[in-house]
């Protein structure tokens, strides 16, 4: 019983810390300073990486993503066409 309570409390603690994480505020720096540019570059890099990973997941789930994987795994065009015919 104590283990379950401890596990639940740790789980809630870990979830709550990610909910309260603040986004970096770059407005505290002067807009022409190197710190401001560095801060905005870091924010842009993280947001772009997240959107890219979401796009990759959507592409892999699509029918075109499946066809692309078959194309990459085939040795030549004839093998690729045969794979497409066998799946349909």
């Amino acid at each position: 019983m104590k283990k379950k309570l401890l596990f639940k409390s740790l789980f809630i603690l870990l979830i709550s810390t990610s909910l309260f994480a603040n986004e970096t505020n770059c407005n505290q720096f002067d807009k022409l300073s190197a710190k401001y540019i560095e801060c905005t570059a870091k924010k842009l890099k993280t947001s772009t990486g997240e959107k890219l990973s979401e796009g990759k997941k959507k592409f892999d789930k699509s029918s075109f993503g499946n066809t692309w994987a078959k194309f990459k795994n085939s040795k030549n065009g004839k093998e690729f066409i045969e794979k497409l015919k066998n799946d349909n």
Side-chain angles (χ1 to χ4, degrees):
M1 182 70 176
K2 289 182 181 180
K3 288 182 182 180
K4 288 182 181 180
L5 182 64
L6 180 64
F7 179 71
K8 288 179 182 179
S9 62
L10 280 174
F11 184 72
I12 291 171
L13 180 68
L14 290 175
I15 289 177
S16 65
T17 55
S18 65
L19 292 175
F20 296 121
N22 293 333
E23 185 177 323
T24 307
N25 186 8
C26 298
N27 293 333
Q28 63 187 359
F29 303 115
D30 185 30
K31 293 205 179 216
L32 297 176
S33 68
K35 294 274 189 187
Y36 179 78
I37 295 170
E38 182 180 341
C39 180
T40 54
K42 285 181 183 178
K43 283 177 58 176
L44 182 64
K45 184 177 180 181
T46 57
S47 66
T48 304
E50 291 171 359
K51 289 181 181 180
L52 183 65
S53 64
E54 289 175 14
K56 284 183 180 180
K57 288 178 185 176
K58 287 181 182 178
F59 178 77
D60 290 338
K61 291 180 182 178
S62 70
S63 63
F64 185 72
N66 294 335
T67 306
W68 181 252
K70 290 175 191 172
F71 177 72
K72 284 184 2 182
N73 294 332
S74 63
K75 294 179 184 176
N76 53 29
K78 183 178 180 182
E79 184 180 334
F80 172 66
I81 298 298
E82 288 174 357
K83 285 182 181 180
L84 284 179
K85 286 181 182 177
N86 291 338
D87 288 340
N88 293 333

